[in-house]
Amino acid sequence: MAISLVKGQRVQLGKDNPGLQKIGVGLGWDTNESPGGHDFDLDASVFMLGSNGKILSDHHFIFYNNTDSPDGAVHHTGDNLTGEGDGDDELVNIDLSKVDAGVAELLFVVTIHDADERKQNFGQVRNSFIRIFNQVNDEEILMYELDEDFSIETAITFGRLYKKQNEWRFEASGVGKTGGLQAYLNDYS
């Protein structure tokens, strides 16, 4: 049975799933209808950070134009331009056993493409979530539903995977930021 997390809650992935290696990270959202407005295009990204809190290299920034990490551990399945339908809008597959030893953390971020030009923010987005499931048996391990109203933010850290005492753990983040993707690149490059 999946664990339902609240903001800031942390869980050890292998505790109830010994030997867990291959996981899927699903991210989802719905956008408010805005007659006459621009369509929304939300994008999921993964920042593979070293112990210094910085991206190891440009190749360790995983998104729709760089779908695979150099170590072969992280694969972004592609950009969903509309976000329509139920379930995961974008998916990242991860083989924890292949993650480069220099990677201390995987940060999962969702941004709104051209948010400033389109006058969009996460206050116009609802039903946002991040979930992790075991790819071997499709069993959902955890789910975090973001329930805050991010009325000015154009980018949000949904969650992070990090190593502590040689174990992978997940933290439900739900931290918003203005400045979109560029603000994250400035912080983590």
PDB file of all heavy atoms in Angstrom, residues 128-166:
ATOM      1  N   SER A 128      -1.779  18.678  -8.618  1.00  0.00           N
ATOM      2  CA  SER A 128      -0.374  18.347  -8.872  1.00  0.00           C
ATOM      3  C   SER A 128       0.079  17.254  -7.919  1.00  0.00           C
ATOM      4  O   SER A 128      -0.273  17.245  -6.740  1.00  0.00           O
ATOM      5  CB  SER A 128       0.501  19.577  -8.669  1.00  0.00           C
ATOM      6  OG  SER A 128       0.120  20.611  -9.540  1.00  0.00           O
ATOM      7  N   PHE A 129       0.904  16.340  -8.444  1.00  0.00           N
ATOM      8  CA  PHE A 129       1.408  15.255  -7.603  1.00  0.00           C
ATOM      9  C   PHE A 129       2.731  14.730  -8.148  1.00  0.00           C
ATOM     10  O   PHE A 129       3.087  14.940  -9.304  1.00  0.00           O
ATOM     11  CB  PHE A 129       0.395  14.107  -7.520  1.00  0.00           C
ATOM     12  CG  PHE A 129       0.209  13.364  -8.823  1.00  0.00           C
ATOM     13  CD1 PHE A 129       1.045  12.313  -9.175  1.00  0.00           C
ATOM     14  CD2 PHE A 129      -0.802  13.722  -9.705  1.00  0.00           C
ATOM     15  CE1 PHE A 129       0.891  11.641 -10.381  1.00  0.00           C
ATOM     16  CE2 PHE A 129      -0.973  13.057 -10.914  1.00  0.00           C
ATOM     17  CZ  PHE A 129      -0.114  12.011 -11.259  1.00  0.00           C
ATOM     18  N   ILE A 130       3.433  14.037  -7.265  1.00  0.00           N
ATOM     19  CA  ILE A 130       4.591  13.232  -7.638  1.00  0.00           C
ATOM     20  C   ILE A 130       4.387  11.888  -6.951  1.00  0.00           C
ATOM     21  O   ILE A 130       3.925  11.830  -5.812  1.00  0.00           O
ATOM     22  CB  ILE A 130       5.932  13.892  -7.224  1.00  0.00           C
ATOM     23  CG1 ILE A 130       7.125  13.042  -7.674  1.00  0.00           C
ATOM     24  CG2 ILE A 130       5.976  14.197  -5.740  1.00  0.00           C
ATOM     25  CD1 ILE A 130       8.481  13.743  -7.519  1.00  0.00           C
ATOM     26  N   ARG A 131       4.689  10.828  -7.677  1.00  0.00           N
ATOM     27  CA  ARG A 131       4.549   9.502  -7.092  1.00  0.00           C
ATOM     28  C   ARG A 131       5.729   8.649  -7.525  1.00  0.00           C
ATOM     29  O   ARG A 131       6.334   8.895  -8.581  1.00  0.00           O
ATOM     30  CB  ARG A 131       3.234   8.851  -7.507  1.00  0.00           C
ATOM     31  CG  ARG A 131       3.175   8.444  -8.944  1.00  0.00           C
ATOM     32  CD  ARG A 131       1.806   7.901  -9.357  1.00  0.00           C
ATOM     33  NE  ARG A 131       1.886   7.287 -10.680  1.00  0.00           N
ATOM     34  CZ  ARG A 131       1.985   5.983 -10.908  1.00  0.00           C
ATOM     35  NH1 ARG A 131       1.996   5.131  -9.894  1.00  0.00           N
ATOM     36  NH2 ARG A 131       2.069   5.515 -12.126  1.00  0.00           N
ATOM     37  N   ILE A 132       6.054   7.685  -6.693  1.00  0.00           N
ATOM     38  CA  ILE A 132       7.125   6.746  -7.013  1.00  0.00           C
ATOM     39  C   ILE A 132       6.535   5.349  -6.971  1.00  0.00           C
ATOM     40  O   ILE A 132       5.803   5.003  -6.043  1.00  0.00           O
ATOM     41  CB  ILE A 132       8.304   6.877  -6.026  1.00  0.00           C
ATOM     42  CG1 ILE A 132       8.947   8.262  -6.186  1.00  0.00           C
ATOM     43  CG2 ILE A 132       9.325   5.768  -6.250  1.00  0.00           C
ATOM     44  CD1 ILE A 132      10.122   8.520  -5.258  1.00  0.00           C
ATOM     45  N   PHE A 133       6.867   4.568  -7.998  1.00  0.00           N
ATOM     46  CA  PHE A 133       6.391   3.182  -8.035  1.00  0.00           C
ATOM     47  C   PHE A 133       7.525   2.244  -8.424  1.00  0.00           C
ATOM     48  O   PHE A 133       8.510   2.646  -9.039  1.00  0.00           O
ATOM     49  CB  PHE A 133       5.195   3.044  -8.990  1.00  0.00           C
ATOM     50  CG  PHE A 133       5.493   3.369 -10.425  1.00  0.00           C
ATOM     51  CD1 PHE A 133       5.858   2.371 -11.328  1.00  0.00           C
ATOM     52  CD2 PHE A 133       5.409   4.676 -10.885  1.00  0.00           C
ATOM     53  CE1 PHE A 133       6.137   2.676 -12.649  1.00  0.00           C
ATOM     54  CE2 PHE A 133       5.682   4.989 -12.215  1.00  0.00           C
ATOM     55  CZ  PHE A 133       6.045   3.987 -13.095  1.00  0.00           C
ATOM     56  N   ASN A 134       7.377   1.001  -8.017  1.00  0.00           N
ATOM     57  CA  ASN A 134       8.330  -0.050  -8.322  1.00  0.00           C
ATOM     58  C   ASN A 134       8.068  -0.490  -9.760  1.00  0.00           C
ATOM     59  O   ASN A 134       6.980  -0.950 -10.079  1.00  0.00           O
ATOM     60  CB  ASN A 134       8.125  -1.213  -7.347  1.00  0.00           C
ATOM     61  CG  ASN A 134       9.139  -2.315  -7.521  1.00  0.00           C
ATOM     62  OD1 ASN A 134       9.702  -2.511  -8.589  1.00  0.00           O
ATOM     63  ND2 ASN A 134       9.361  -3.070  -6.449  1.00  0.00           N
ATOM     64  N   GLN A 135       9.047  -0.371 -10.630  1.00  0.00           N
ATOM     65  CA  GLN A 135       8.842  -0.723 -12.033  1.00  0.00           C
ATOM     66  C   GLN A 135       8.744  -2.229 -12.256  1.00  0.00           C
ATOM     67  O   GLN A 135       8.199  -2.652 -13.258  1.00  0.00           O
ATOM     68  CB  GLN A 135       9.958  -0.152 -12.894  1.00  0.00           C
ATOM     69  CG  GLN A 135       9.824   1.333 -13.099  1.00  0.00           C
ATOM     70  CD  GLN A 135      10.752   1.841 -14.169  1.00  0.00           C
ATOM     71  OE1 GLN A 135      11.921   1.484 -14.208  1.00  0.00           O
ATOM     72  NE2 GLN A 135      10.241   2.677 -15.038  1.00  0.00           N
ATOM     73  N   VAL A 136       9.238  -3.012 -11.325  1.00  0.00           N
ATOM     74  CA  VAL A 136       9.193  -4.460 -11.492  1.00  0.00           C
ATOM     75  C   VAL A 136       7.759  -4.975 -11.386  1.00  0.00           C
ATOM     76  O   VAL A 136       7.323  -5.819 -12.169  1.00  0.00           O
ATOM     77  CB  VAL A 136      10.112  -5.161 -10.466  1.00  0.00           C
ATOM     78  CG1 VAL A 136       9.956  -6.665 -10.510  1.00  0.00           C
ATOM     79  CG2 VAL A 136      11.563  -4.763 -10.704  1.00  0.00           C
ATOM     80  N   ASN A 137       6.998  -4.440 -10.411  1.00  0.00           N
ATOM     81  CA  ASN A 137       5.638  -4.949 -10.205  1.00  0.00           C
ATOM     82  C   ASN A 137       4.560  -3.859 -10.320  1.00  0.00           C
ATOM     83  O   ASN A 137       3.396  -4.118 -10.039  1.00  0.00           O
ATOM     84  CB  ASN A 137       5.534  -5.643  -8.844  1.00  0.00           C
ATOM     85  CG  ASN A 137       5.859  -4.731  -7.684  1.00  0.00           C
ATOM     86  OD1 ASN A 137       5.914  -3.506  -7.834  1.00  0.00           O
ATOM     87  ND2 ASN A 137       6.087  -5.327  -6.523  1.00  0.00           N
ATOM     88  N   ASP A 138       4.943  -2.650 -10.726  1.00  0.00           N
ATOM     89  CA  ASP A 138       4.030  -1.497 -10.871  1.00  0.00           C
ATOM     90  C   ASP A 138       3.348  -1.090  -9.561  1.00  0.00           C
ATOM     91  O   ASP A 138       2.378  -0.341  -9.572  1.00  0.00           O
ATOM     92  CB  ASP A 138       2.950  -1.769 -11.931  1.00  0.00           C
ATOM     93  CG  ASP A 138       3.427  -1.432 -13.325  1.00  0.00           C
ATOM     94  OD1 ASP A 138       4.415  -0.686 -13.446  1.00  0.00           O
ATOM     95  OD2 ASP A 138       2.808  -1.916 -14.292  1.00  0.00           O
ATOM     96  N   GLU A 139       3.855  -1.554  -8.448  1.00  0.00           N
ATOM     97  CA  GLU A 139       3.272  -1.197  -7.145  1.00  0.00           C
ATOM     98  C   GLU A 139       3.694   0.216  -6.752  1.00  0.00           C
ATOM     99  O   GLU A 139       4.881   0.540  -6.738  1.00  0.00           O
ATOM    100  CB  GLU A 139       3.714  -2.190  -6.079  1.00  0.00           C
ATOM    101  CG  GLU A 139       3.101  -1.936  -4.722  1.00  0.00           C
ATOM    102  CD  GLU A 139       3.537  -2.990  -3.709  1.00  0.00           C
ATOM    103  OE1 GLU A 139       3.365  -4.185  -3.994  1.00  0.00           O
ATOM    104  OE2 GLU A 139       4.061  -2.596  -2.650  1.00  0.00           O
ATOM    105  N   GLU A 140       2.699   1.051  -6.439  1.00  0.00           N
ATOM    106  CA  GLU A 140       2.992   2.414  -6.007  1.00  0.00           C
ATOM    107  C   GLU A 140       3.572   2.384  -4.599  1.00  0.00           C
ATOM    108  O   GLU A 140       3.023   1.742  -3.709  1.00  0.00           O
ATOM    109  CB  GLU A 140       1.712   3.253  -6.044  1.00  0.00           C
ATOM    110  CG  GLU A 140       1.972   4.724  -5.852  1.00  0.00           C
ATOM    111  CD  GLU A 140       0.744   5.563  -6.129  1.00  0.00           C
ATOM    112  OE1 GLU A 140       0.551   5.951  -7.288  1.00  0.00           O
ATOM    113  OE2 GLU A 140      -0.009   5.806  -5.178  1.00  0.00           O
ATOM    114  N   ILE A 141       4.679   3.097  -4.416  1.00  0.00           N
ATOM    115  CA  ILE A 141       5.373   3.134  -3.125  1.00  0.00           C
ATOM    116  C   ILE A 141       4.936   4.354  -2.326  1.00  0.00           C
ATOM    117  O   ILE A 141       4.659   4.243  -1.128  1.00  0.00           O
ATOM    118  CB  ILE A 141       6.905   3.142  -3.337  1.00  0.00           C
ATOM    119  CG1 ILE A 141       7.330   1.857  -4.052  1.00  0.00           C
ATOM    120  CG2 ILE A 141       7.630   3.309  -2.009  1.00  0.00           C
ATOM    121  CD1 ILE A 141       8.755   1.887  -4.565  1.00  0.00           C
ATOM    122  N   LEU A 142       4.876   5.501  -2.995  1.00  0.00           N
ATOM    123  CA  LEU A 142       4.489   6.721  -2.290  1.00  0.00           C
ATOM    124  C   LEU A 142       3.852   7.705  -3.244  1.00  0.00           C
ATOM    125  O   LEU A 142       4.031   7.639  -4.456  1.00  0.00           O
ATOM    126  CB  LEU A 142       5.690   7.356  -1.582  1.00  0.00           C
ATOM    127  CG  LEU A 142       6.879   7.807  -2.428  1.00  0.00           C
ATOM    128  CD1 LEU A 142       6.687   9.207  -2.991  1.00  0.00           C
ATOM    129  CD2 LEU A 142       8.140   7.758  -1.601  1.00  0.00           C
ATOM    130  N   MET A 143       3.109   8.636  -2.668  1.00  0.00           N
ATOM    131  CA  MET A 143       2.439   9.693  -3.428  1.00  0.00           C
ATOM    132  C   MET A 143       2.456  10.948  -2.577  1.00  0.00           C
ATOM    133  O   MET A 143       2.216  10.906  -1.372  1.00  0.00           O
ATOM    134  CB  MET A 143       0.998   9.288  -3.731  1.00  0.00           C
ATOM    135  CG  MET A 143       0.089  10.417  -4.184  1.00  0.00           C
ATOM    136  SD  MET A 143       0.131  10.808  -5.913  1.00  0.00           S
ATOM    137  CE  MET A 143      -0.875   9.545  -6.610  1.00  0.00           C
ATOM    138  N   TYR A 144       2.777  12.066  -3.225  1.00  0.00           N
ATOM    139  CA  TYR A 144       2.704  13.368  -2.575  1.00  0.00           C
ATOM    140  C   TYR A 144       1.861  14.271  -3.451  1.00  0.00           C
ATOM    141  O   TYR A 144       2.213  14.537  -4.609  1.00  0.00           O
ATOM    142  CB  TYR A 144       4.105  13.950  -2.355  1.00  0.00           C
ATOM    143  CG  TYR A 144       4.114  15.403  -1.929  1.00  0.00           C
ATOM    144  CD1 TYR A 144       3.317  15.854  -0.877  1.00  0.00           C
ATOM    145  CD2 TYR A 144       4.910  16.326  -2.580  1.00  0.00           C
ATOM    146  CE1 TYR A 144       3.319  17.192  -0.495  1.00  0.00           C
ATOM    147  CE2 TYR A 144       4.929  17.665  -2.201  1.00  0.00           C
ATOM    148  CZ  TYR A 144       4.129  18.091  -1.166  1.00  0.00           C
ATOM    149  OH  TYR A 144       4.125  19.410  -0.789  1.00  0.00           O
ATOM    150  N   GLU A 145       0.742  14.734  -2.918  1.00  0.00           N
ATOM    151  CA  GLU A 145      -0.138  15.650  -3.633  1.00  0.00           C
ATOM    152  C   GLU A 145       0.095  17.057  -3.098  1.00  0.00           C
ATOM    153  O   GLU A 145      -0.084  17.311  -1.908  1.00  0.00           O
ATOM    154  CB  GLU A 145      -1.593  15.238  -3.443  1.00  0.00           C
ATOM    155  CG  GLU A 145      -1.881  13.864  -4.023  1.00  0.00           C
ATOM    156  CD  GLU A 145      -3.302  13.414  -3.785  1.00  0.00           C
ATOM    157  OE1 GLU A 145      -4.175  13.849  -4.565  1.00  0.00           O
ATOM    158  OE2 GLU A 145      -3.524  12.649  -2.838  1.00  0.00           O
ATOM    159  N   LEU A 146       0.500  17.952  -3.987  1.00  0.00           N
ATOM    160  CA  LEU A 146       0.758  19.333  -3.593  1.00  0.00           C
ATOM    161  C   LEU A 146      -0.581  20.036  -3.450  1.00  0.00           C
ATOM    162  O   LEU A 146      -1.364  20.073  -4.392  1.00  0.00           O
ATOM    163  CB  LEU A 146       1.602  20.039  -4.652  1.00  0.00           C
ATOM    164  CG  LEU A 146       3.054  19.599  -4.743  1.00  0.00           C
ATOM    165  CD1 LEU A 146       3.212  18.266  -5.415  1.00  0.00           C
ATOM    166  CD2 LEU A 146       3.868  20.639  -5.457  1.00  0.00           C
ATOM    167  N   ASP A 147      -0.837  20.561  -2.278  1.00  0.00           N
ATOM    168  CA  ASP A 147      -2.147  21.169  -2.053  1.00  0.00           C
ATOM    169  C   ASP A 147      -2.072  22.669  -1.764  1.00  0.00           C
ATOM    170  O   ASP A 147      -3.061  23.283  -1.416  1.00  0.00           O
ATOM    171  CB  ASP A 147      -2.898  20.442  -0.944  1.00  0.00           C
ATOM    172  CG  ASP A 147      -2.126  20.418   0.362  1.00  0.00           C
ATOM    173  OD1 ASP A 147      -1.045  21.034   0.452  1.00  0.00           O
ATOM    174  OD2 ASP A 147      -2.606  19.778   1.311  1.00  0.00           O
ATOM    175  N   GLU A 148      -0.905  23.259  -1.928  1.00  0.00           N
ATOM    176  CA  GLU A 148      -0.768  24.699  -1.700  1.00  0.00           C
ATOM    177  C   GLU A 148      -1.223  25.481  -2.916  1.00  0.00           C
ATOM    178  O   GLU A 148      -1.258  24.967  -4.028  1.00  0.00           O
ATOM    179  CB  GLU A 148       0.696  25.054  -1.415  1.00  0.00           C
ATOM    180  CG  GLU A 148       1.126  24.732  -0.005  1.00  0.00           C
ATOM    181  CD  GLU A 148       2.531  25.238   0.247  1.00  0.00           C
ATOM    182  OE1 GLU A 148       2.790  26.429   0.026  1.00  0.00           O
ATOM    183  OE2 GLU A 148       3.355  24.424   0.668  1.00  0.00           O
ATOM    184  N   ASP A 149      -1.530  26.745  -2.703  1.00  0.00           N
ATOM    185  CA  ASP A 149      -1.860  27.641  -3.794  1.00  0.00           C
ATOM    186  C   ASP A 149      -0.607  28.456  -4.109  1.00  0.00           C
ATOM    187  O   ASP A 149      -0.239  29.356  -3.373  1.00  0.00           O
ATOM    188  CB  ASP A 149      -3.025  28.556  -3.413  1.00  0.00           C
ATOM    189  CG  ASP A 149      -3.375  29.532  -4.524  1.00  0.00           C
ATOM    190  OD1 ASP A 149      -3.044  29.246  -5.687  1.00  0.00           O
ATOM    191  OD2 ASP A 149      -3.973  30.576  -4.218  1.00  0.00           O
ATOM    192  N   PHE A 150       0.053  28.121  -5.189  1.00  0.00           N
ATOM    193  CA  PHE A 150       1.261  28.819  -5.607  1.00  0.00           C
ATOM    194  C   PHE A 150       0.858  29.904  -6.600  1.00  0.00           C
ATOM    195  O   PHE A 150       0.948  29.718  -7.805  1.00  0.00           O
ATOM    196  CB  PHE A 150       2.242  27.831  -6.247  1.00  0.00           C
ATOM    197  CG  PHE A 150       2.731  26.765  -5.315  1.00  0.00           C
ATOM    198  CD1 PHE A 150       2.150  25.509  -5.310  1.00  0.00           C
ATOM    199  CD2 PHE A 150       3.775  27.020  -4.446  1.00  0.00           C
ATOM    200  CE1 PHE A 150       2.618  24.515  -4.463  1.00  0.00           C
ATOM    201  CE2 PHE A 150       4.249  26.041  -3.595  1.00  0.00           C
ATOM    202  CZ  PHE A 150       3.665  24.778  -3.593  1.00  0.00           C
ATOM    203  N   SER A 151       0.421  31.041  -6.093  1.00  0.00           N
ATOM    204  CA  SER A 151      -0.210  32.043  -6.954  1.00  0.00           C
ATOM    205  C   SER A 151       0.753  32.900  -7.772  1.00  0.00           C
ATOM    206  O   SER A 151       0.335  33.545  -8.726  1.00  0.00           O
ATOM    207  CB  SER A 151      -1.114  32.942  -6.125  1.00  0.00           C
ATOM    208  OG  SER A 151      -0.363  33.590  -5.129  1.00  0.00           O
ATOM    209  N   ILE A 152       2.028  32.925  -7.417  1.00  0.00           N
ATOM    210  CA  ILE A 152       2.979  33.705  -8.219  1.00  0.00           C
ATOM    211  C   ILE A 152       4.127  32.848  -8.762  1.00  0.00           C
ATOM    212  O   ILE A 152       4.878  33.292  -9.618  1.00  0.00           O
ATOM    213  CB  ILE A 152       3.569  34.896  -7.416  1.00  0.00           C
ATOM    214  CG1 ILE A 152       4.338  34.397  -6.202  1.00  0.00           C
ATOM    215  CG2 ILE A 152       2.482  35.869  -7.026  1.00  0.00           C
ATOM    216  CD1 ILE A 152       5.169  35.463  -5.518  1.00  0.00           C
ATOM    217  N   GLU A 153       4.240  31.630  -8.296  1.00  0.00           N
ATOM    218  CA  GLU A 153       5.369  30.774  -8.665  1.00  0.00           C
ATOM    219  C   GLU A 153       5.207  30.207 -10.072  1.00  0.00           C
ATOM    220  O   GLU A 153       4.112  29.844 -10.490  1.00  0.00           O
ATOM    221  CB  GLU A 153       5.520  29.627  -7.663  1.00  0.00           C
ATOM    222  CG  GLU A 153       5.972  30.074  -6.294  1.00  0.00           C
ATOM    223  CD  GLU A 153       4.875  30.600  -5.385  1.00  0.00           C
ATOM    224  OE1 GLU A 153       3.718  30.743  -5.837  1.00  0.00           O
ATOM    225  OE2 GLU A 153       5.163  30.878  -4.206  1.00  0.00           O
ATOM    226  N   THR A 154       6.329  30.112 -10.783  1.00  0.00           N
ATOM    227  CA  THR A 154       6.333  29.556 -12.130  1.00  0.00           C
ATOM    228  C   THR A 154       7.161  28.276 -12.206  1.00  0.00           C
ATOM    229  O   THR A 154       7.327  27.710 -13.281  1.00  0.00           O
ATOM    230  CB  THR A 154       6.883  30.589 -13.126  1.00  0.00           C
ATOM    231  OG1 THR A 154       8.186  31.006 -12.697  1.00  0.00           O
ATOM    232  CG2 THR A 154       5.957  31.793 -13.221  1.00  0.00           C
ATOM    233  N   ALA A 155       7.668  27.840 -11.055  1.00  0.00           N
ATOM    234  CA  ALA A 155       8.441  26.606 -10.963  1.00  0.00           C
ATOM    235  C   ALA A 155       8.278  26.047  -9.554  1.00  0.00           C
ATOM    236  O   ALA A 155       8.181  26.803  -8.588  1.00  0.00           O
ATOM    237  CB  ALA A 155       9.914  26.884 -11.252  1.00  0.00           C
ATOM    238  N   ILE A 156       8.250  24.720  -9.461  1.00  0.00           N
ATOM    239  CA  ILE A 156       8.075  24.085  -8.149  1.00  0.00           C
ATOM    240  C   ILE A 156       8.960  22.853  -8.049  1.00  0.00           C
ATOM    241  O   ILE A 156       9.016  22.037  -8.973  1.00  0.00           O
ATOM    242  CB  ILE A 156       6.609  23.680  -7.904  1.00  0.00           C
ATOM    243  CG1 ILE A 156       5.720  24.915  -7.876  1.00  0.00           C
ATOM    244  CG2 ILE A 156       6.460  22.893  -6.606  1.00  0.00           C
ATOM    245  CD1 ILE A 156       4.262  24.639  -7.649  1.00  0.00           C
ATOM    246  N   THR A 157       9.639  22.719  -6.914  1.00  0.00           N
ATOM    247  CA  THR A 157      10.314  21.472  -6.583  1.00  0.00           C
ATOM    248  C   THR A 157       9.250  20.559  -5.996  1.00  0.00           C
ATOM    249  O   THR A 157       8.705  20.836  -4.927  1.00  0.00           O
ATOM    250  CB  THR A 157      11.430  21.686  -5.542  1.00  0.00           C
ATOM    251  OG1 THR A 157      12.366  22.636  -6.043  1.00  0.00           O
ATOM    252  CG2 THR A 157      12.140  20.378  -5.237  1.00  0.00           C
ATOM    253  N   PHE A 158       8.913  19.490  -6.709  1.00  0.00           N
ATOM    254  CA  PHE A 158       7.899  18.549  -6.234  1.00  0.00           C
ATOM    255  C   PHE A 158       8.483  17.640  -5.152  1.00  0.00           C
ATOM    256  O   PHE A 158       7.809  17.311  -4.187  1.00  0.00           O
ATOM    257  CB  PHE A 158       7.375  17.695  -7.396  1.00  0.00           C
ATOM    258  CG  PHE A 158       6.277  18.348  -8.196  1.00  0.00           C
ATOM    259  CD1 PHE A 158       6.340  19.685  -8.579  1.00  0.00           C
ATOM    260  CD2 PHE A 158       5.184  17.612  -8.597  1.00  0.00           C
ATOM    261  CE1 PHE A 158       5.331  20.266  -9.341  1.00  0.00           C
ATOM    262  CE2 PHE A 158       4.163  18.174  -9.355  1.00  0.00           C
ATOM    263  CZ  PHE A 158       4.241  19.502  -9.724  1.00  0.00           C
ATOM    264  N   GLY A 159       9.728  17.211  -5.336  1.00  0.00           N
ATOM    265  CA  GLY A 159      10.340  16.313  -4.357  1.00  0.00           C
ATOM    266  C   GLY A 159      11.791  16.071  -4.691  1.00  0.00           C
ATOM    267  O   GLY A 159      12.306  16.552  -5.711  1.00  0.00           O
ATOM    268  N   ARG A 160      12.444  15.311  -3.814  1.00  0.00           N
ATOM    269  CA  ARG A 160      13.848  14.992  -4.049  1.00  0.00           C
ATOM    270  C   ARG A 160      14.176  13.606  -3.524  1.00  0.00           C
ATOM    271  O   ARG A 160      13.660  13.182  -2.483  1.00  0.00           O
ATOM    272  CB  ARG A 160      14.764  16.027  -3.425  1.00  0.00           C
ATOM    273  CG  ARG A 160      14.740  16.065  -1.917  1.00  0.00           C
ATOM    274  CD  ARG A 160      15.579  17.227  -1.370  1.00  0.00           C
ATOM    275  NE  ARG A 160      15.770  17.092   0.059  1.00  0.00           N
ATOM    276  CZ  ARG A 160      16.896  16.686   0.641  1.00  0.00           C
ATOM    277  NH1 ARG A 160      17.951  16.401  -0.090  1.00  0.00           N
ATOM    278  NH2 ARG A 160      16.984  16.581   1.952  1.00  0.00           N
ATOM    279  N   LEU A 161      15.002  12.900  -4.271  1.00  0.00           N
ATOM    280  CA  LEU A 161      15.582  11.628  -3.839  1.00  0.00           C
ATOM    281  C   LEU A 161      16.992  11.945  -3.387  1.00  0.00           C
ATOM    282  O   LEU A 161      17.711  12.683  -4.074  1.00  0.00           O
ATOM    283  CB  LEU A 161      15.672  10.644  -5.002  1.00  0.00           C
ATOM    284  CG  LEU A 161      14.480   9.793  -5.353  1.00  0.00           C
ATOM    285  CD1 LEU A 161      14.759   9.013  -6.629  1.00  0.00           C
ATOM    286  CD2 LEU A 161      14.131   8.851  -4.228  1.00  0.00           C
ATOM    287  N   TYR A 162      17.376  11.419  -2.256  1.00  0.00           N
ATOM    288  CA  TYR A 162      18.728  11.688  -1.778  1.00  0.00           C
ATOM    289  C   TYR A 162      19.253  10.470  -1.044  1.00  0.00           C
ATOM    290  O   TYR A 162      18.492   9.624  -0.573  1.00  0.00           O
ATOM    291  CB  TYR A 162      18.762  12.926  -0.871  1.00  0.00           C
ATOM    292  CG  TYR A 162      17.949  12.779   0.399  1.00  0.00           C
ATOM    293  CD1 TYR A 162      18.567  12.450   1.605  1.00  0.00           C
ATOM    294  CD2 TYR A 162      16.575  12.958   0.393  1.00  0.00           C
ATOM    295  CE1 TYR A 162      17.826  12.302   2.771  1.00  0.00           C
ATOM    296  CE2 TYR A 162      15.829  12.814   1.548  1.00  0.00           C
ATOM    297  CZ  TYR A 162      16.459  12.488   2.732  1.00  0.00           C
ATOM    298  OH  TYR A 162      15.718  12.329   3.886  1.00  0.00           O
ATOM    299  N   LYS A 163      20.581  10.385  -0.988  1.00  0.00           N
ATOM    300  CA  LYS A 163      21.226   9.254  -0.308  1.00  0.00           C
ATOM    301  C   LYS A 163      21.637   9.663   1.098  1.00  0.00           C
ATOM    302  O   LYS A 163      22.229  10.707   1.301  1.00  0.00           O
ATOM    303  CB  LYS A 163      22.456   8.802  -1.077  1.00  0.00           C
ATOM    304  CG  LYS A 163      22.191   7.657  -1.990  1.00  0.00           C
ATOM    305  CD  LYS A 163      23.475   7.068  -2.473  1.00  0.00           C
ATOM    306  CE  LYS A 163      23.254   5.585  -2.630  1.00  0.00           C
ATOM    307  NZ  LYS A 163      24.338   4.953  -3.345  1.00  0.00           N
ATOM    308  N   LYS A 164      21.269   8.822   2.048  1.00  0.00           N
ATOM    309  CA  LYS A 164      21.698   9.014   3.425  1.00  0.00           C
ATOM    310  C   LYS A 164      22.059   7.644   3.984  1.00  0.00           C
ATOM    311  O   LYS A 164      21.256   6.715   3.907  1.00  0.00           O
ATOM    312  CB  LYS A 164      20.589   9.664   4.255  1.00  0.00           C
ATOM    313  CG  LYS A 164      21.013   9.968   5.678  1.00  0.00           C
ATOM    314  CD  LYS A 164      19.937  10.710   6.426  1.00  0.00           C
ATOM    315  CE  LYS A 164      20.408  10.990   7.843  1.00  0.00           C
ATOM    316  NZ  LYS A 164      19.383  11.675   8.614  1.00  0.00           N
ATOM    317  N   GLN A 165      23.257   7.531   4.505  1.00  0.00           N
ATOM    318  CA  GLN A 165      23.764   6.264   5.035  1.00  0.00           C
ATOM    319  C   GLN A 165      23.584   5.147   4.016  1.00  0.00           C
ATOM    320  O   GLN A 165      23.115   4.060   4.322  1.00  0.00           O
ATOM    321  CB  GLN A 165      23.083   5.931   6.363  1.00  0.00           C
ATOM    322  CG  GLN A 165      23.361   6.968   7.432  1.00  0.00           C
ATOM    323  CD  GLN A 165      22.503   6.799   8.677  1.00  0.00           C
ATOM    324  OE1 GLN A 165      21.463   6.149   8.655  1.00  0.00           O
ATOM    325  NE2 GLN A 165      22.948   7.398   9.766  1.00  0.00           N
ATOM    326  N   ASN A 166      23.930   5.461   2.771  1.00  0.00           N
ATOM    327  CA  ASN A 166      23.896   4.512   1.658  1.00  0.00           C
ATOM    328  C   ASN A 166      22.498   3.996   1.312  1.00  0.00           C
ATOM    329  O   ASN A 166      22.348   2.966   0.680  1.00  0.00           O
ATOM    330  CB  ASN A 166      24.847   3.333   1.915  1.00  0.00           C
ATOM    331  CG  ASN A 166      25.684   3.038   0.695  1.00  0.00           C
ATOM    332  OD1 ASN A 166      25.824   3.882  -0.190  1.00  0.00           O
ATOM    333  ND2 ASN A 166      26.210   1.838   0.633  1.00  0.00           N
TER     334      ASN A 166
END
